[in-house]
Amino acid sequence: IKNIKNKIEIKEINKSCVGIIQKKSGKLNVLMDNKELISADIIIGADGVNGITRKYVCGTTNIITKKVFRGISDDKNKLLLKQKTLELNFSNYGHFVSYPFMNNNKKYINYVFIPNKSFQNSNEIFDKLKSISNFSSVNWNEGYFYFFEDEIQTLHKNNILLFGDAGFFFEP
């Protein structure tokens, strides 16, 4: 409110940032994907746990990559979960997180499977996942989740403030 009353210029830039350079105390240069440099006094980073602002504030040495599988189903028999209900299922291979959601007035269930540590590098985990009958009809897609080993929760460095998933993250 104070900044708006003083009419200090605030710009929202909707471009891809590829780097941040500390120019001098209190001033930052943001390198955009088109090689443009934009000068900034303050940056609010909301680009996620693996984003440029998070890496600038916390570094990259303790980022861990974990394999996850995601899938969506519109199977009417599985839609017994009520809105705002989260279901956890545990197996010898890992754990499942399931929750309902709506998109364009159509009901779906979102599934996330996180393999146990012993199956993180297994080439057979996808076949094992499909063999679990409750989840065999789900169209699974492999992906990766990035998190910090030491669960660093630093929120700012110099004139950069982390917001949303960039500032607070947790494993699915």
Side-chain angles (χ1 to χ4, degrees):
I1 292 172
K2 182 179 174 185
N3 288 342
I4 293 170
K5 286 181 180 178
N6 291 333
K7 298 183 182 178
I8 293 175
E9 185 179 358
I10 298 174
K11 275 188 188 176
E12 179 183 347
I13 300 168
N14 193 11
K15 295 180 184 176
S16 293
C17 167
V18 295
I20 299 169
I21 304 160
Q22 185 78 38
K23 189 174 179 181
K24 59 182 179 178
S25 182
K27 292 289 182 185
L28 301 160
N29 276 340
V30 181
L31 177 61
M32 309 312 285
D33 59 357
N34 64 355
K35 309 287 187 227
E36 178 184 6
L37 273 177
I38 298 174
S39 180
D41 296 321
I42 297 172
I43 296 173
I44 298 174
D47 53 354
V49 68
N50 201 31
I52 300 294
T53 57
R54 179 82 187 181
K55 288 177 183 174
Y56 179 86
V57 171
C58 299
T60 59
T61 57
N62 57 352
I63 293 178
I64 293 178
T65 303
K66 190 176 252 192
K67 186 185 297 187
V68 298
F69 293 90
R70 297 180 183 274
I72 295 174
S73 172
D74 62 356
D75 183 352
K76 302 284 187 237
N77 296 325
K78 304 287 182 181
L79 290 174
L80 298 175
L81 292 172
K82 294 186 169 90
Q83 284 292 73
K84 301 180 184 176
T85 301
L86 180 77
E87 183 178 285
L88 295 173
N89 289 285
F90 300 93
S91 77
N92 293 335
Y93 310 117
H95 68 278
F96 295 87
V97 180
S98 311
Y99 56 92
F101 72 98
M102 290 186 69
N103 187 14
N104 294 328
N105 293 323
K106 191 166 180 187
K107 294 180 182 180
Y108 297 94
I109 295 183
N110 192 30
Y111 293 97
V112 179
F113 173 71
I114 299 92
N116 289 341
K117 196 174 196 176
S118 58
F119 291 104
Q120 273 295 308
N121 297 317
S122 168
N123 293 329
E124 301 167 4
I125 190 62
F126 191 68
D127 292 331
K128 293 184 186 304
L129 175 61
K130 291 172 99 182
S131 72
I132 300 173
S133 63
N134 287 353
F135 305 102
S136 61
S137 64
V138 176
N139 184 17
W140 294 102
N141 295 303
E142 184 176 324
Y144 295 91
F145 172 73
Y146 303 94
F147 65 100
F148 284 80
E149 181 178 39
D150 299 329
E151 296 187 25
I152 295 174
Q153 293 293 327
T154 303
L155 292 177
H156 63 87
K157 176 180 175 182
N158 299 327
N159 296 8
I160 298 179
L161 172 69
L162 300 178
F163 185 78
D165 287 347
F168 300 98
F169 61 92
F170 56 94
E171 185 177 352

